[in-house]
Structure formats: structure tokens, C-alpha cells
Amino acid sequence: LTLTLTLTLTLTLTSGCLASAIDVATTVAIVADGGWPGVSVSLGVTYLAGCAAAEEVRLVPTVLRRGGSMAYAECKVRLS
């Protein structure tokens, strides 16, 4: 399952805020795929570029695998 969430910024986006948005986006994707929300066991983020104010940020979370108690997801972040 893949969802697309779009954020339009009025201020710059900090790395911690982006990591939180990725965490929420992947949880939404897992729930939409029939899973249950839970806590993140591991969250790794690699930042390749920054984003400026008034820039559109698109989060594309994808559920890779879902089992009985664990789910694996990834999230691609695209600047428009």
C-alpha cells in the first residue's frame, strides 16, 4: 500500500519535525493496510537536502511487509 501526503510549509522544516512526520505517515500507511498503530522500533532517516519555506513536501509511505506483531514500512520524501 502506498499513500501520498502533501505538506505546504510556511516556515522551514527541521530535521526532527520531518522525522516525526515520517513516523506518522508510515503509521497511517500501516493502519490503512489493516494493521494496528504502535511504537516505532527503529527509525533511520538520511537527509540529502534541506527544504525552504513555502516549499511543498510530499511524503510517500509504503508498507513493505506486515506480520502479526511487526510491520515494515519506508517513506520517500520529495520536494515539489
Side-chain angles (χ1 to χ4, degrees):
L1 174 69
T2 300
L3 300 172
T4 300
L5 307 171
T6 303
L7 307 171
T8 302
L9 305 174
T10 54
L11 301 171
T12 57
L13 187 64
T14 66
S15 58
C17 182
L18 183 57
S20 293
I22 290 168
D23 194 22
V24 169
T26 53
T27 298
V28 168
I30 290 166
V31 171
D33 192 47
W36 292 94
V39 297
S40 294
V41 174
S42 177
L43 177 66
V45 182
T46 302
Y47 300 97
L48 302 177
C51 56
E55 192 162 19
E56 188 176 275
V57 178
R58 191 174 346 146
L59 303 176
V60 185
T62 304
V63 177
L64 303 174
R65 186 175 41 195
R66 189 172 56 82
S69 62
M70 295 274 293
Y72 298 88
E74 69 177 9
C75 185
K76 296 184 179 180
V77 180
R78 298 198 168 100
L79 301 177
S80 299

